[in-house]
Amino acid sequence: MGRSPCCDENGLKKGPWTPEEDEKLVQYIQKHGHGSWRALPKLAGLNRCGKSCRLRWTNYLRPDIKRGKFSQEEEQSILHLHSILGNKWSAIATHLPGRTDNEIKNFWNTHLKKKLIQMGFDPMTHQPRTDLFSSLPHLLALANLRDLMVDHHPLDEQAMRLQADAVQLAKLQYLQYLLQSAASITTNSYGQNDLTDMEALNLLSSIPAFKENPVLNSSHVENSSSFSPGSTTTFQPLHHPSLLAHLSDPQVPFNFQTSLNSEMGQGCNFTMISQGDNPHDDSSLVFPFPTPVISTLTDDMSLSNPGDASSSTSSYGGASSFWPELFFEDPIMHEIS
DNA sequence: AAATGTTTCAACCGCCCTCCG
DNA sequence: TCGGAGGGCGGTTGAAACATT
């Protein structure tokens, strides 16, 4: 037995606003300001509830509202802010002049959420989706595409590589899942070798990037120092604007190597090593990350888990996520915090 | 051209918080 | 301290526009 909707009272009008109503509302507010929203409709000669008037004004009629398509920069900001704030649309809107929370929310639900899902990210956590099944539709689609193409046209080199990349990505996502599972198992069982380590290594060895590159099979990062964020800096995963610029442009190539340091019973660490130039060999994975960011952060340092400041004591300190958790000083976070 | 399906987004709903008497 | 009013917020709905068959 909840409170009855305000507009049910007194047969007040609901639904789309007419130009005449808009005109009345705008004129009244420009003359008198909105004051009490509840009192406003009567004073302005509108047969609407105050709430409806407030919504119409704040979401549509306000003179400082910017309409039209969201720019690339706005899109990046929303993604970034959402990764920090979650569904706090009004908070996000304060960082985007002229945009309303409602507009941002709609844009998120109709565009950005889908985009992230398509790219294999969980739209709520902004982390890669670790469930292999989430990748299956894409893989199946690719497989079907390949069948079709083989039937009708010879598969070109780039398409072949794309498909191979997708399969490798799925493997790596699954690997991440295994490592995350292993992290909890290992932590709880105190050094016990578990099957998941083996499973992970077997999977790795099936990926050309690991099999063919001697660096990747070595204990290359044995003594690598963890990337330490420092005490006064705020760090955010993934959605740096410069990264996001590339989310919408999957053609931006970046080659990287992933090193696995595995000593049985001690867990695994990932190290991302950027390559200065892009040799485009078949063993490279192509991801939409800009080279400069990766290279500055991963030059001979392992990536550690942001939530785990004492990662050196954790046997899986660097294995929290396959996708690079990039940490950087974030002005917006400073502002918020 | 018509029917059907999908997407978009303005508007509504109801919960929650703050303010004030 | 309590309770009601008002406003803000996030989630949801549904009509209109657009796309596809």
Coordinates of all heavy atoms in Angstrom, one line a residue, chain C residues 2-13:
Chain C
dC2 P 12.1 9.1 18.0 OP1 11.6 7.8 18.7 OP2 13.2 9.0 17.0 O5' 10.9 9.8 17.3 C5' 9.9 10.3 18.1 C4' 8.9 11.0 17.2 O4' 9.4 12.4 16.8 C3' 8.6 10.3 15.9 O3' 7.2 10.2 15.7 C2' 9.2 11.2 14.8 C1' 9.2 12.6 15.4 N1 10.2 13.5 15.0 C2 9.9 14.8 14.6 O2 8.7 15.2 14.7 N3 10.9 15.7 14.3 C4 12.2 15.3 14.3 N4 13.1 16.2 13.9 C5 12.5 14.0 14.6 C6 11.6 13.1 15.0
dG3 P 6.6 9.2 14.7 OP1 5.4 8.5 15.3 OP2 7.6 8.4 14.0 O5' 6.0 10.2 13.6 C5' 5.2 11.3 14.0 C4' 5.0 12.3 12.9 O4' 6.2 13.1 12.7 C3' 4.7 11.6 11.6 O3' 3.7 12.3 10.9 C2' 6.1 11.7 10.8 C1' 6.6 13.0 11.4 N9 8.0 13.2 11.3 C8 9.0 12.3 11.5 N7 10.2 12.7 11.5 C5 10.0 14.1 11.2 C6 11.0 15.1 11.0 O6 12.2 15.0 11.0 N1 10.4 16.3 10.7 C2 9.0 16.5 10.6 N2 8.6 17.8 10.3 N3 8.1 15.6 10.8 C4 8.7 14.4 11.1
dG4 P 2.9 11.6 9.8 OP1 1.5 11.4 10.3 OP2 3.6 10.5 9.1 O5' 2.7 12.8 8.7 C5' 2.5 14.1 9.2 C4' 3.1 15.1 8.3 O4' 4.5 15.2 8.5 C3' 2.8 14.9 6.8 O3' 2.4 16.0 6.2 C2' 4.2 14.4 6.3 C1' 5.2 15.2 7.2 N9 6.5 14.6 7.4 C8 6.8 13.3 7.7 N7 8.0 13.0 7.8 C5 8.6 14.3 7.6 C6 10.0 14.6 7.6 O6 11.0 13.9 7.8 N1 10.2 16.0 7.3 C2 9.2 16.9 7.0 N2 9.5 18.1 6.8 N3 7.9 16.5 7.0 C4 7.7 15.2 7.3
dA5 P 1.9 16.0 4.7 OP1 0.6 16.7 4.6 OP2 2.0 14.7 4.1 O5' 2.9 17.0 4.0 C5' 3.3 18.2 4.6 C4' 4.4 18.8 3.9 O4' 5.7 18.2 4.2 C3' 4.3 18.7 2.3 O3' 4.6 20.0 1.8 C2' 5.3 17.7 1.9 C1' 6.3 17.8 3.0 N9 7.0 16.5 3.3 C8 6.4 15.3 3.6 N7 7.2 14.3 3.9 C5 8.5 15.0 3.8 C6 9.8 14.5 4.1 N6 10.1 13.2 4.4 N1 10.8 15.4 3.9 C2 10.5 16.6 3.6 N3 9.3 17.2 3.4 C4 8.3 16.3 3.5
dG6 P 4.3 20.3 0.2 OP1 3.9 21.7 0.0 OP2 3.6 19.1 -0.4 O5' 5.8 20.1 -0.3 C5' 6.9 20.9 0.4 C4' 8.2 20.5 -0.2 O4' 8.6 19.3 0.3 C3' 8.2 20.4 -1.7 O3' 9.3 21.2 -2.2 C2' 8.5 18.9 -2.0 C1' 9.2 18.5 -0.7 N9 9.0 17.1 -0.3 C8 7.8 16.4 -0.3 N7 8.0 15.2 0.1 C5 9.3 15.0 0.3 C6 10.1 13.9 0.8 O6 9.7 12.8 1.1 N1 11.4 14.2 0.9 C2 12.0 15.5 0.6 N2 13.3 15.6 0.7 N3 11.3 16.5 0.2 C4 10.0 16.2 0.1
dG7 P 9.5 21.4 -3.8 OP1 9.9 22.8 -4.0 OP2 8.4 20.8 -4.5 O5' 10.8 20.5 -4.0 C5' 11.9 20.7 -3.1 C4' 12.9 19.6 -3.4 O4' 12.4 18.4 -2.8 C3' 13.2 19.3 -4.8 O3' 14.7 19.4 -5.0 C2' 12.7 18.0 -5.1 C1' 12.7 17.3 -3.7 N9 11.7 16.3 -3.5 C8 10.4 16.3 -3.7 N7 9.8 15.2 -3.3 C5 10.8 14.4 -2.9 C6 10.7 13.1 -2.4 O6 9.8 12.3 -2.3 N1 12.0 12.6 -2.0 C2 13.2 13.3 -2.2 N2 14.3 12.7 -1.8 N3 13.2 14.6 -2.6 C4 12.0 15.0 -3.0
dG8 P 15.3 19.2 -6.3 OP1 16.5 20.2 -6.4 OP2 14.3 19.2 -7.4 O5' 16.0 17.8 -6.2 C5' 16.8 17.5 -5.0 C4' 17.3 16.1 -5.1 O4' 16.3 15.1 -4.8 C3' 17.8 15.7 -6.6 O3' 19.0 15.0 -6.4 C2' 16.7 14.8 -7.1 C1' 16.1 14.1 -5.8 N9 14.7 13.8 -5.8 C8 13.7 14.6 -6.3 N7 12.5 14.0 -6.2 C5 12.8 12.7 -5.6 C6 11.9 11.6 -5.3 O6 10.7 11.6 -5.4 N1 12.7 10.5 -4.8 C2 14.0 10.5 -4.6 N2 14.5 9.4 -4.2 N3 14.8 11.5 -4.9 C4 14.2 12.6 -5.4
dC9 P 19.8 14.6 -7.7 OP1 21.2 14.8 -7.4 OP2 19.2 15.2 -8.9 O5' 19.5 13.0 -7.8 C5' 19.8 12.2 -6.6 C4' 19.3 10.8 -6.8 O4' 17.9 10.8 -6.7 C3' 19.7 10.3 -8.2 O3' 20.6 9.2 -8.1 C2' 18.3 9.8 -8.8 C1' 17.4 9.9 -7.6 N1 16.0 10.4 -8.0 C2 14.9 9.6 -7.8 O2 15.1 8.4 -7.3 N3 13.7 10.0 -8.2 C4 13.5 11.2 -8.7 N4 12.3 11.6 -9.0 C5 14.7 12.1 -8.9 C6 15.9 11.6 -8.6
dG10 P 21.3 8.6 -9.3 OP1 22.7 8.3 -8.9 OP2 21.0 9.4 -10.5 O5' 20.5 7.3 -9.5 C5' 20.4 6.3 -8.4 C4' 19.5 5.2 -8.7 O4' 18.1 5.7 -8.8 C3' 19.8 4.5 -10.1 O3' 19.6 3.1 -9.9 C2' 18.7 5.1 -11.0 C1' 17.6 5.4 -10.1 N9 16.7 6.5 -10.5 C8 17.1 7.7 -11.0 N7 16.1 8.5 -11.3 C5 15.0 7.8 -11.0 C6 13.7 8.2 -11.0 O6 13.2 9.2 -11.4 N1 12.8 7.1 -10.6 C2 13.3 5.9 -10.1 N2 12.3 5.1 -9.7 N3 14.5 5.6 -10.0 C4 15.4 6.6 -10.5
dG11 P 19.7 2.1 -11.1 OP1 20.4 0.9 -10.6 OP2 20.2 2.8 -12.3 O5' 18.2 1.7 -11.3 C5' 17.4 1.2 -10.2 C4' 16.0 0.9 -10.7 O4' 15.3 2.1 -11.0 C3' 16.0 0.0 -12.0 O3' 15.0 -1.0 -11.8 C2' 15.6 1.0 -13.1 C1' 14.7 2.0 -12.3 N9 14.8 3.4 -12.8 C8 15.9 4.1 -13.1 N7 15.7 5.3 -13.6 C5 14.3 5.4 -13.6 C6 13.4 6.5 -14.0 O6 13.7 7.6 -14.4 N1 12.1 6.1 -13.8 C2 11.6 4.9 -13.3 N2 10.3 4.7 -13.3 N3 12.4 3.9 -13.0 C4 13.7 4.2 -13.1
dT12 P 14.6 -2.0 -12.9 OP1 14.2 -3.3 -12.2 OP2 15.7 -2.1 -13.9 O5' 13.4 -1.4 -13.7 C5' 12.2 -1.0 -12.9 C4' 11.2 -0.4 -13.8 O4' 11.6 0.9 -14.2 C3' 10.9 -1.2 -15.1 O3' 9.5 -1.5 -15.0 C2' 11.2 -0.2 -16.2 C1' 11.2 1.2 -15.5 N1 12.1 2.3 -16.0 C2 11.5 3.4 -16.4 O2 10.3 3.7 -16.4 N3 12.4 4.4 -16.9 C4 13.8 4.3 -16.9 O4 14.4 5.2 -17.4 C5 14.3 3.0 -16.5 C7 15.8 2.8 -16.6 C6 13.4 2.1 -16.1
dT13 P 8.9 -2.4 -16.2 OP1 7.9 -3.3 -15.6 OP2 9.9 -2.9 -17.1 O5' 8.1 -1.2 -17.0 C5' 7.4 -0.2 -16.2 C4' 6.7 0.8 -17.1 O4' 7.7 1.7 -17.5 C3' 6.1 0.2 -18.4 O3' 4.8 0.8 -18.5 C2' 7.1 0.6 -19.5 C1' 7.7 1.9 -18.9 N1 9.0 2.3 -19.4 C2 9.3 3.6 -19.8 O2 8.4 4.4 -19.8 N3 10.6 3.8 -20.1 C4 11.6 3.0 -20.0 O4 12.8 3.3 -20.4 C5 11.3 1.6 -19.6 C7 12.4 0.6 -19.6 C6 10.1 1.4 -19.3

